[in-house]
Amino acid sequence: MYEKGFAYLLQGEHEKVIYGVLKHLHVSRQDPDYEDLVVEGQLVFAQAFCMYCESHAIVKEAEVMPYLYQKIKWRLLDVLRKKTRLKQRQCSLPATEEMLWAKEESDFDDLATGDLLARLWEKCTLNEQNFLALRLNSDISVAEIAKLLAVSRKTVYKYKGSILKKYKALLLK
């Protein structure tokens, strides 16, 4: 399907455009995702080249290379943003709040933590308690929690924000 694009990629030094995009995005060769991003860039190169050929009768390297660079840059930016969002979702809370959302039982073995959690539980509404129970006892996303509780994701984020305010207030006491 994209044979023409891959053939063009292998001609001359066209693959350098991918490395140029990665350099522009500050992705070093030591990055664990570097090779995956190179492969993604190659796929985008081939696809974008085929799209360009469909809309242009004559392919001029001076015109096609900036087009390919931009397409590769946009796609790799999307991939990097997605990975960043996943990492933020997994570890977005400051250290004091991480204790609240920790899922390992060993984190709750500490008497002070258990006491703090019990006091927090008492201050929460029924909906917040449901959210807290789901969040602490399972590894599901906000969207899945919203679906289980039959509310919107925005409402789930409100529950989370309210719980965090109550948690901070308990820490200050």
Side-chain angles (χ1 to χ4, degrees), residues 57-141:
I58 299 172
V59 176
K60 296 179 184 173
E61 189 166 334
E63 294 174 3
V64 74
M65 293 310 282
Y67 172 81
L68 294 173
Y69 181 93
Q70 191 66 44
K71 289 288 189 179
I72 295 167
K73 180 180 170 186
W74 287 343
R75 176 64 184 136
L76 294 184
L77 266 174
D78 287 344
V79 169
L80 290 170
R81 285 182 185 132
K82 184 176 181 180
K83 288 181 189 242
T84 301
R85 281 194 306 269
L86 280 172
K87 286 179 186 176
Q88 286 175 342
R89 194 177 307 143
Q90 291 170 353
C91 58
S92 64
L93 301 172
T96 57
E97 294 171 1
E98 281 177 8
M99 181 178 71
L100 174 62
W101 303 117
K103 292 177 187 67
E104 295 180 19
E105 289 180 22
S106 61
D107 290 338
F108 296 109
D109 290 342
D110 182 35
L111 183 60
T113 304
D115 180 54
L116 182 61
L117 189 58
R119 289 188 296 149
L120 177 62
W121 186 267
E122 291 171 6
K123 296 217 178 264
C124 290
T125 66
L126 180 60
N127 290 330
E128 291 168 347
Q129 288 175 350
N130 290 336
F131 166 77
L132 197 55
L134 286 169
R135 186 66 181 111
L136 293 174
N137 297 317
S138 62
D139 191 24
I140 59 177
S141 69

Coordinates of all heavy atoms in Angstrom, one line a residue, residues 57-141:
A57 N 1.0 16.2 -9.2 CA 1.4 15.4 -10.4 C 2.9 15.2 -10.5 O 3.4 14.2 -10.8 CB 0.9 16.2 -11.7
I58 N 3.6 16.2 -10.0 CA 5.1 16.2 -10.1 C 5.6 16.3 -8.6 O 5.2 17.2 -7.9 CB 5.7 17.3 -10.9 CG1 5.2 17.2 -12.4 CG2 7.2 17.3 -10.9 CD1 5.5 18.3 -13.3
V59 N 6.5 15.4 -8.3 CA 7.1 15.5 -6.9 C 8.4 16.2 -7.0 O 9.4 15.7 -7.6 CB 7.2 14.0 -6.3 CG1 7.9 14.1 -5.0 CG2 5.9 13.4 -6.2
K60 N 8.5 17.3 -6.4 CA 9.7 18.1 -6.3 C 10.3 17.9 -4.9 O 9.5 18.2 -3.9 CB 9.5 19.6 -6.6 CG 9.1 19.8 -8.0 CD 8.9 21.3 -8.3 CE 8.3 21.5 -9.7 NZ 7.9 22.9 -9.9
E61 N 11.5 17.5 -4.7 CA 12.1 17.3 -3.4 C 12.0 18.5 -2.5 O 11.8 18.4 -1.3 CB 13.5 16.7 -3.5 CG 14.0 16.2 -2.2 CD 15.3 15.4 -2.3 OE1 15.5 14.7 -3.3 OE2 16.0 15.4 -1.3
A62 N 12.3 19.6 -3.1 CA 12.3 20.9 -2.3 C 10.9 21.2 -1.7 O 10.8 21.9 -0.7 CB 12.8 22.0 -3.2
E63 N 9.9 20.7 -2.4 CA 8.5 20.9 -1.8 C 8.0 19.8 -0.9 O 7.3 20.1 0.0 CB 7.5 21.1 -3.0 CG 7.8 22.4 -3.8 CD 6.9 22.4 -5.1 OE1 6.1 21.5 -5.3 OE2 7.1 23.4 -5.9
V64 N 8.4 18.6 -1.3 CA 7.9 17.5 -0.5 C 8.5 17.3 0.8 O 7.9 16.9 1.8 CB 7.9 16.1 -1.4 CG1 9.3 15.6 -1.5 CG2 7.0 15.1 -0.8
M65 N 9.8 17.6 0.9 CA 10.5 17.3 2.2 C 10.0 18.2 3.3 O 9.8 17.7 4.4 CB 12.0 17.5 2.0 CG 12.6 16.4 1.1 SD 12.2 14.7 1.6 CE 13.2 14.5 2.9
P66 N 9.7 19.5 3.1 CA 9.1 20.3 4.2 C 7.7 19.7 4.6 O 7.4 19.7 5.8 CB 9.0 21.7 3.7 CG 10.0 21.8 2.6 CD 10.1 20.4 2.0
Y67 N 7.0 19.3 3.6 CA 5.7 18.7 3.9 C 5.8 17.4 4.7 O 5.1 17.3 5.7 CB 5.0 18.4 2.5 CG 3.7 17.6 2.6 CD1 2.5 18.2 2.9 CD2 3.7 16.2 2.4 CE1 1.3 17.5 3.0 CE2 2.5 15.5 2.5 CZ 1.3 16.1 2.8 OH 0.2 15.4 2.9
L68 N 6.7 16.6 4.4 CA 7.0 15.3 5.1 C 7.4 15.6 6.5 O 7.0 15.0 7.5 CB 8.0 14.4 4.4 CG 7.5 13.9 3.0 CD1 8.6 13.2 2.3 CD2 6.3 13.0 3.2
Y69 N 8.4 16.6 6.6 CA 8.9 17.0 8.0 C 7.7 17.4 8.9 O 7.6 17.0 10.0 CB 9.9 18.2 7.8 CG 10.5 18.6 9.1 CD1 11.7 18.1 9.5 CD2 9.9 19.6 9.9 CE1 12.3 18.5 10.7 CE2 10.4 20.0 11.1 CZ 11.6 19.5 11.5 OH 12.2 19.9 12.7
Q70 N 6.8 18.2 8.4 CA 5.7 18.7 9.2 C 4.8 17.6 9.6 O 4.3 17.5 10.7 CB 4.9 19.8 8.4 CG 3.9 20.5 9.2 CD 4.6 21.4 10.3 OE1 5.6 22.0 10.1 NE2 4.1 21.3 11.5
K71 N 4.5 16.7 8.6 CA 3.6 15.5 8.9 C 4.2 14.6 10.0 O 3.5 14.2 11.0 CB 3.3 14.7 7.7 CG 2.4 15.4 6.7 CD 1.0 15.4 7.2 CE 0.0 15.9 6.2 NZ -1.3 15.9 6.6
I72 N 5.5 14.4 9.9 CA 6.2 13.5 10.9 C 6.2 14.2 12.2 O 6.0 13.6 13.3 CB 7.6 13.2 10.4 CG1 7.6 12.3 9.1 CG2 8.4 12.5 11.5 CD1 8.9 12.2 8.4
K73 N 6.5 15.5 12.2 CA 6.6 16.3 13.5 C 5.2 16.2 14.2 O 5.2 16.0 15.4 CB 7.0 17.7 13.2 CG 7.1 18.6 14.4 CD 7.5 20.0 14.0 CE 7.4 20.9 15.2 NZ 7.6 22.3 14.8
W74 N 4.2 16.5 13.5 CA 2.8 16.5 14.1 C 2.5 15.1 14.7 O 2.0 15.0 15.8 CB 1.8 16.9 13.1 CG 1.8 18.3 12.7 CD1 2.4 19.4 13.4 CD2 1.1 18.9 11.6 NE1 2.1 20.6 12.8 CE2 1.4 20.3 11.7 CE3 0.4 18.4 10.6 CZ2 0.9 21.2 10.7 CZ3 -0.1 19.3 9.6 CH2 0.2 20.7 9.7
R75 N 2.8 14.0 13.9 CA 2.5 12.7 14.4 C 3.3 12.3 15.6 O 2.8 11.8 16.6 CB 2.6 11.7 13.3 CG 2.4 10.3 13.8 CD 1.0 10.1 14.2 NE 0.8 8.7 14.7 CZ 0.2 8.4 15.8 NH1 -0.5 9.3 16.5 NH2 0.1 7.1 16.2
L76 N 4.6 12.6 15.6 CA 5.5 12.3 16.7 C 5.1 13.1 18.0 O 5.2 12.6 19.1 CB 6.9 12.4 16.4 CG 7.4 11.4 15.3 CD1 8.9 11.6 15.1 CD2 7.1 10.0 15.7
L77 N 4.7 14.4 17.7 CA 4.2 15.2 18.8 C 3.0 14.6 19.5 O 2.9 14.5 20.7 CB 3.9 16.6 18.4 CG 5.0 17.6 18.5 CD1 4.6 18.9 17.8 CD2 5.4 17.9 19.9
D78 N 2.1 14.1 18.7 CA 0.9 13.4 19.2 C 1.3 12.2 20.0 O 0.7 12.0 21.1 CB 0.0 13.0 18.1 CG -0.8 14.1 17.4 OD1 -0.8 15.2 18.0 OD2 -1.3 14.0 16.3
V79 N 2.2 11.4 19.5 CA 2.6 10.2 20.3 C 3.3 10.6 21.6 O 3.0 10.0 22.6 CB 3.6 9.4 19.4 CG1 4.3 8.3 20.2 CG2 2.9 8.8 18.2
L80 N 4.1 11.6 21.6 CA 4.8 12.0 22.8 C 3.8 12.6 23.8 O 4.0 12.4 25.0 CB 5.9 13.0 22.5 CG 7.1 12.5 21.7 CD1 8.1 13.6 21.2 CD2 7.9 11.5 22.6
R81 N 2.9 13.4 23.3 CA 1.8 14.0 24.2 C 1.0 12.8 24.9 O 0.7 12.9 26.0 CB 0.9 14.9 23.4 CG 1.5 16.2 23.1 CD 0.6 17.1 22.4 NE 1.2 18.3 22.0 CZ 1.1 18.9 20.8 NH1 0.4 18.3 19.9 NH2 1.8 20.0 20.5
K82 N 0.7 11.8 24.1 CA -0.1 10.7 24.6 C 0.7 10.0 25.7 O 0.2 9.7 26.8 CB -0.4 9.7 23.5 CG -1.3 8.6 24.0 CD -1.7 7.7 22.8 CE -2.6 6.6 23.2 NZ -3.0 5.7 22.1
K83 N 2.0 9.8 25.5 CA 2.8 9.1 26.5 C 2.9 10.0 27.7 O 2.9 9.5 28.8 CB 4.2 8.8 25.9 CG 4.2 7.7 24.9 CD 5.5 7.4 24.4 CE 5.4 6.4 23.3 NZ 6.1 5.2 23.5
T84 N 3.1 11.3 27.5 CA 3.2 12.2 28.7 C 1.9 12.2 29.5 O 1.9 12.2 30.7 CB 3.4 13.7 28.2 OG1 4.7 13.6 27.4 CG2 3.6 14.6 29.3
R85 N 0.7 12.2 28.8 CA -0.6 12.2 29.5 C -0.7 10.9 30.3 O -1.2 10.9 31.4 CB -1.7 12.3 28.5 CG -2.0 13.7 28.1 CD -3.4 13.8 27.4 NE -3.5 12.9 26.3 CZ -3.2 13.2 25.0 NH1 -2.7 14.4 24.7 NH2 -3.4 12.3 24.1
L86 N -0.2 9.8 29.7 CA -0.3 8.5 30.5 C 0.6 8.5 31.7 O 0.2 8.1 32.8 CB 0.1 7.4 29.6 CG -0.9 6.8 28.6 CD1 -0.3 5.8 27.6 CD2 -2.0 6.2 29.3
K87 N 1.8 9.1 31.6 CA 2.7 9.2 32.7 C 2.1 10.1 33.8 O 2.2 9.9 35.0 CB 4.1 9.7 32.3 CG 4.9 8.7 31.6 CD 6.2 9.2 31.1 CE 7.0 8.3 30.3 NZ 8.2 8.8 29.8
Q88 N 1.5 11.2 33.3 CA 0.9 12.2 34.3 C -0.3 11.5 35.0 O -0.5 11.7 36.2 CB 0.4 13.4 33.6 CG 1.6 14.3 33.2 CD 1.1 15.5 32.4 OE1 0.0 15.5 31.8 NE2 1.9 16.5 32.3
R89 N -1.1 10.8 34.3 CA -2.2 10.1 34.9 C -1.7 9.1 35.9 O -2.3 8.9 37.0 CB -3.0 9.4 33.8 CG -4.4 9.0 34.3 CD -5.2 8.3 33.2 NE -5.3 9.1 32.0 CZ -5.4 8.6 30.8 NH1 -5.3 7.3 30.6 NH2 -5.5 9.4 29.8
Q90 N -0.6 8.4 35.7 CA -0.1 7.4 36.6 C 0.6 8.1 37.8 O 0.6 7.5 38.9 CB 0.9 6.5 35.8 CG 0.2 5.7 34.8 CD 1.2 4.9 33.9 OE1 2.4 5.2 34.0 NE2 0.7 4.0 33.1
C91 N 1.3 9.2 37.6 CA 2.0 9.8 38.7 C 1.9 11.3 38.8 O 2.8 12.0 38.9 CB 3.5 9.4 38.7 SG 4.3 9.9 37.1
S92 N 0.6 11.8 38.7 CA 0.4 13.2 38.7 C 0.3 13.9 40.0 O 0.2 15.1 40.1 CB -0.8 13.5 37.9 OG -2.0 13.0 38.5
L93 N 0.2 13.2 41.1 CA 0.0 13.8 42.4 C 1.3 14.0 43.1 O 2.2 13.3 43.1 CB -0.9 12.8 43.2 CG -2.2 12.5 42.6 CD1 -2.9 11.4 43.4 CD2 -3.1 13.7 42.5
P94 N 1.3 15.1 43.9 CA 2.5 15.4 44.7 C 2.7 14.3 45.7 O 1.8 13.6 46.0 CB 2.2 16.8 45.3 CG 1.1 17.4 44.5 CD 0.4 16.2 43.9
A95 N 3.9 14.3 46.4 CA 4.2 13.2 47.3 C 3.2 13.0 48.4 O 2.8 11.9 48.7 CB 5.6 13.5 47.9
T96 N 2.7 14.1 49.0 CA 1.8 13.9 50.1 C 0.4 13.4 49.6 O -0.2 12.6 50.3 CB 1.5 15.3 50.8 OG1 1.0 16.2 49.8 CG2 2.7 15.8 51.5
E97 N 0.1 13.7 48.4 CA -1.2 13.2 47.9 C -1.0 11.8 47.3 O -2.0 11.0 47.3 CB -1.7 14.1 46.8 CG -2.1 15.5 47.4 CD -2.4 16.5 46.3 OE1 -2.4 16.2 45.1 OE2 -2.8 17.6 46.7
E98 N 0.2 11.4 46.9 CA 0.4 10.0 46.4 C 0.0 9.0 47.5 O -0.5 8.0 47.2 CB 1.9 9.8 46.0 CG 2.2 10.4 44.7 CD 3.7 10.3 44.4 OE1 4.4 9.6 45.1 OE2 4.1 10.9 43.4
M99 N 0.3 9.4 48.7 CA 0.0 8.5 49.8 C -1.5 8.2 49.8 O -2.0 7.0 50.0 CB 0.3 9.1 51.2 CG 0.1 8.2 52.4 SD 0.6 9.0 53.9 CE -0.6 10.3 54.0
L100 N -2.4 9.1 49.5 CA -3.8 8.9 49.5 C -4.2 8.0 48.4 O -5.1 7.1 48.6 CB -4.5 10.3 49.3 CG -6.0 10.2 49.2 CD1 -6.7 9.6 50.4 CD2 -6.5 11.6 48.9
W101 N -3.6 8.1 47.2 CA -4.1 7.3 46.1 C -3.3 6.0 45.9 O -3.5 5.3 44.9 CB -4.0 8.2 44.8 CG -4.8 9.4 44.9 CD1 -4.3 10.7 44.8 CD2 -6.2 9.6 45.1 NE1 -5.2 11.6 44.9 CE2 -6.4 11.0 45.1 CE3 -7.2 8.7 45.2 CZ2 -7.7 11.5 45.3 CZ3 -8.5 9.2 45.4 CH2 -8.7 10.6 45.4
A102 N -2.4 5.7 46.8 CA -1.6 4.5 46.6 C -2.5 3.3 46.7 O -3.4 3.2 47.4 CB -0.5 4.5 47.8
K103 N -2.1 2.3 45.9 CA -2.9 1.1 45.8 C -2.3 -0.1 46.5 O -3.0 -1.1 46.6 CB -3.1 0.8 44.3 CG -3.9 1.8 43.6 CD -4.0 1.4 42.1 CE -4.6 2.5 41.3 NZ -3.9 3.7 41.3
E104 N -1.1 0.0 46.9 CA -0.5 -1.2 47.6 C -0.9 -1.3 49.1 O -0.9 -0.3 49.8 CB 1.0 -1.1 47.5 CG 1.5 -1.2 46.1 CD 3.0 -1.2 45.9 OE1 3.7 -1.4 46.9 OE2 3.5 -0.9 44.8
E105 N -1.3 -2.4 49.5 CA -1.7 -2.6 50.9 C -0.7 -2.2 51.9 O -1.0 -1.7 53.0 CB -2.2 -4.0 51.1 CG -3.4 -4.4 50.4 CD -3.8 -5.9 50.7 OE1 -3.4 -6.4 51.7 OE2 -4.6 -6.4 49.8
S106 N 0.6 -2.4 51.6 CA 1.7 -2.1 52.5 C 1.7 -0.6 52.9 O 2.1 -0.2 53.9 CB 3.0 -2.4 51.9 OG 3.3 -1.7 50.7
D107 N 1.1 0.3 52.0 CA 1.1 1.7 52.2 C 0.0 2.0 53.3 O 0.1 3.0 54.0 CB 0.7 2.5 51.0 CG 1.8 2.5 49.9 OD1 2.9 2.3 50.3 OD2 1.5 2.7 48.8
F108 N -0.9 1.1 53.5 CA -2.0 1.3 54.5 C -1.7 0.6 55.8 O -2.5 0.6 56.7 CB -3.4 0.9 53.9 CG -3.7 1.8 52.8 CD1 -3.8 1.3 51.5 CD2 -4.0 3.1 53.0 CE1 -4.1 2.1 50.4 CE2 -4.4 3.9 51.9 CZ -4.4 3.4 50.6
D109 N -0.6 -0.1 55.9 CA -0.2 -0.8 57.1 C 0.1 0.2 58.2 O -0.1 -0.1 59.4 CB 0.9 -1.8 56.8 CG 0.5 -3.0 56.0 OD1 -0.7 -3.2 55.9 OD2 1.4 -3.6 55.4
D110 N 0.6 1.3 57.8 CA 1.0 2.3 58.8 C -0.3 2.8 59.5 O -1.2 3.2 58.9 CB 1.7 3.4 58.1 CG 2.2 4.5 59.0 OD1 2.6 4.2 60.2 OD2 2.2 5.7 58.6
L111 N -0.2 2.8 60.8 CA -1.4 3.2 61.6 C -1.8 4.6 61.3 O -3.0 4.9 61.2 CB -1.0 3.0 63.1 CG -2.1 3.3 64.1 CD1 -3.3 2.4 63.9 CD2 -1.6 3.2 65.5
A112 N -0.9 5.5 61.2 CA -1.2 6.9 60.9 C -1.9 7.1 59.6 O -2.9 7.8 59.5 CB 0.1 7.8 61.0
T113 N -1.5 6.4 58.6 CA -2.1 6.4 57.3 C -3.5 5.9 57.4 O -4.5 6.5 56.8 CB -1.3 5.6 56.3 OG1 0.0 6.1 56.2 CG2 -1.9 5.8 54.9
G114 N -3.7 4.7 58.1 CA -5.0 4.1 58.2 C -6.0 5.1 59.0 O -7.1 5.2 58.6
D115 N -5.4 5.7 60.0 CA -6.2 6.7 60.8 C -6.7 7.9 59.9 O -7.8 8.3 59.9 CB -5.5 7.1 62.0 CG -6.3 8.1 62.8 OD1 -7.4 7.8 63.2 OD2 -5.8 9.2 63.1
L116 N -5.7 8.4 59.1 CA -6.0 9.5 58.3 C -7.0 9.1 57.2 O -8.0 9.9 57.0 CB -4.7 10.0 57.6 CG -4.8 11.2 56.6 CD1 -5.2 12.4 57.4 CD2 -3.5 11.4 56.0
L117 N -6.9 7.9 56.7 CA -7.9 7.5 55.7 C -9.2 7.3 56.3 O -10.2 7.7 55.7 CB -7.4 6.2 55.0 CG -8.2 5.7 53.8 CD1 -8.2 6.7 52.7 CD2 -7.6 4.4 53.3
A118 N -9.3 6.8 57.5 CA -10.6 6.6 58.2 C -11.3 8.0 58.4 O -12.5 8.1 58.2 CB -10.4 5.9 59.5
R119 N -10.5 9.0 58.9 CA -11.0 10.3 59.1 C -11.5 10.9 57.8 O -12.5 11.6 57.8 CB -10.0 11.2 59.8 CG -9.8 10.7 61.3 CD -8.9 11.7 62.1 NE -7.6 11.7 61.5 CZ -6.8 12.8 61.5 NH1 -7.2 13.9 62.1 NH2 -5.6 12.8 60.9
L120 N -10.7 10.7 56.8 CA -11.1 11.3 55.5 C -12.4 10.6 55.0 O -13.3 11.3 54.5 CB -10.0 11.0 54.4 CG -10.3 11.4 53.0 CD1 -10.5 13.0 52.9 CD2 -9.2 11.0 52.1
W121 N -12.5 9.3 55.2 CA -13.7 8.6 54.8 C -15.0 9.2 55.4 O -16.0 9.3 54.8 CB -13.5 7.1 55.1 CG -14.6 6.2 54.6 CD1 -15.8 5.9 55.3 CD2 -14.7 5.6 53.4 NE1 -16.5 5.1 54.6 CE2 -15.9 4.9 53.3 CE3 -13.9 5.6 52.2 CZ2 -16.3 4.1 52.3 CZ3 -14.3 4.8 51.2 CH2 -15.5 4.1 51.2
E122 N -14.8 9.5 56.7 CA -16.0 10.1 57.4 C -16.4 11.4 56.9 O -17.6 11.8 57.0 CB -15.6 10.2 58.9 CG -15.5 8.9 59.6 CD -14.9 9.0 61.0 OE1 -14.7 10.2 61.5 OE2 -14.6 8.0 61.7
K123 N -15.5 12.2 56.4 CA -15.7 13.5 55.9 C -16.3 13.5 54.5 O -16.9 14.5 54.0 CB -14.5 14.4 55.9 CG -13.9 14.6 57.3 CD -13.4 16.0 57.4 CE -12.9 16.3 58.8 NZ -13.9 17.0 59.6
C124 N -16.2 12.4 53.8 CA -16.6 12.3 52.4 C -18.1 12.0 52.3 O -18.7 11.4 53.1 CB -15.9 11.2 51.7 SG -14.1 11.6 51.4
T125 N -18.7 12.5 51.2 CA -20.1 12.2 50.9 C -20.2 10.8 50.4 O -19.1 10.2 50.1 CB -20.7 13.1 49.8 OG1 -20.0 12.9 48.6 CG2 -20.6 14.6 50.2
L126 N -21.4 10.2 50.2 CA -21.5 8.9 49.7 C -20.9 8.7 48.3 O -20.2 7.7 48.1 CB -23.0 8.5 49.7 CG -23.3 7.1 49.2 CD1 -22.6 6.0 50.1 CD2 -24.8 6.8 49.1
N127 N -21.1 9.7 47.5 CA -20.5 9.6 46.1 C -19.0 9.7 46.2 O -18.3 8.9 45.4 CB -21.1 10.8 45.3 CG -22.5 10.6 44.9 OD1 -23.0 9.5 44.8 ND2 -23.2 11.7 44.7
E128 N -18.5 10.5 47.0 CA -17.0 10.6 47.2 C -16.5 9.3 47.7 O -15.4 8.9 47.3 CB -16.6 11.8 48.0 CG -16.9 13.1 47.4 CD -16.8 14.3 48.4 OE1 -16.8 14.1 49.6 OE2 -16.8 15.4 47.9
Q129 N -17.2 8.7 48.7 CA -16.7 7.4 49.2 C -16.7 6.3 48.1 O -15.8 5.5 48.1 CB -17.7 7.0 50.4 CG -17.5 7.8 51.6 CD -18.5 7.5 52.7 OE1 -19.4 6.7 52.5 NE2 -18.2 8.0 53.9
N130 N -17.7 6.3 47.3 CA -17.8 5.4 46.2 C -16.6 5.6 45.3 O -15.9 4.6 44.9 CB -19.1 5.5 45.4 CG -20.3 5.0 46.2 OD1 -20.2 4.2 47.1 ND2 -21.5 5.5 45.8
F131 N -16.3 6.8 44.9 CA -15.1 7.1 44.1 C -13.9 6.7 44.8 O -13.0 6.0 44.2 CB -15.0 8.6 43.8 CG -13.7 9.0 43.2 CD1 -13.4 8.7 41.9 CD2 -12.8 9.6 44.0 CE1 -12.2 9.1 41.4 CE2 -11.5 10.0 43.5 CZ -11.2 9.7 42.2
L132 N -13.7 7.0 46.1 CA -12.5 6.7 46.8 C -12.3 5.2 46.9 O -11.2 4.7 46.7 CB -12.6 7.3 48.2 CG -11.4 7.4 49.1 CD1 -10.3 8.2 48.4 CD2 -11.7 8.1 50.4
A133 N -13.4 4.4 47.1 CA -13.3 3.0 47.2 C -12.8 2.4 45.8 O -12.0 1.5 45.8 CB -14.6 2.4 47.6
L134 N -13.4 2.9 44.8 CA -13.0 2.4 43.4 C -11.6 2.8 43.1 O -10.8 2.0 42.6 CB -13.9 3.0 42.4 CG -15.3 2.4 42.3 CD1 -16.2 3.2 41.4 CD2 -15.3 0.9 41.8
R135 N -11.2 4.0 43.5 CA -9.8 4.5 43.1 C -8.8 3.7 43.9 O -7.7 3.4 43.4 CB -9.8 6.0 43.4 CG -8.5 6.6 43.0 CD -8.3 6.5 41.4 NE -7.0 7.1 41.1 CZ -6.0 6.4 40.6 NH1 -6.1 5.1 40.4 NH2 -4.9 6.9 40.3
L136 N -9.1 3.5 45.2 CA -8.1 2.8 46.1 C -8.0 1.3 45.9 O -6.9 0.8 46.1 CB -8.4 3.1 47.5 CG -8.2 4.6 48.0 CD1 -8.7 4.8 49.4 CD2 -6.8 5.1 47.8
N137 N -9.1 0.7 45.5 CA -9.1 -0.8 45.4 C -9.0 -1.3 44.0 O -9.1 -2.5 43.9 CB -10.3 -1.3 46.1 CG -10.3 -0.9 47.6 OD1 -9.3 -1.0 48.2 ND2 -11.5 -0.5 48.1
S138 N -8.9 -0.5 43.0 CA -8.8 -1.0 41.7 C -7.9 -0.1 40.8 O -7.6 1.0 41.2 CB -10.1 -1.1 41.0 OG -10.8 0.1 40.9
D139 N -7.5 -0.6 39.7 CA -6.6 0.2 38.8 C -7.4 0.5 37.6 O -7.1 0.1 36.5 CB -5.4 -0.7 38.5 CG -4.3 0.2 37.8 OD1 -4.3 1.4 38.0 OD2 -3.5 -0.4 37.1
I140 N -8.4 1.3 37.7 CA -9.3 1.7 36.6 C -9.2 3.2 36.4 O -8.9 4.0 37.3 CB -10.7 1.3 36.7 CG1 -11.4 1.8 38.0 CG2 -10.8 -0.3 36.8 CD1 -12.9 1.5 38.1
S141 N -9.5 3.6 35.2 CA -9.3 5.0 34.8 C -10.5 5.8 35.3 O -11.5 5.3 35.7 CB -9.2 5.1 33.3 OG -10.5 4.8 32.7

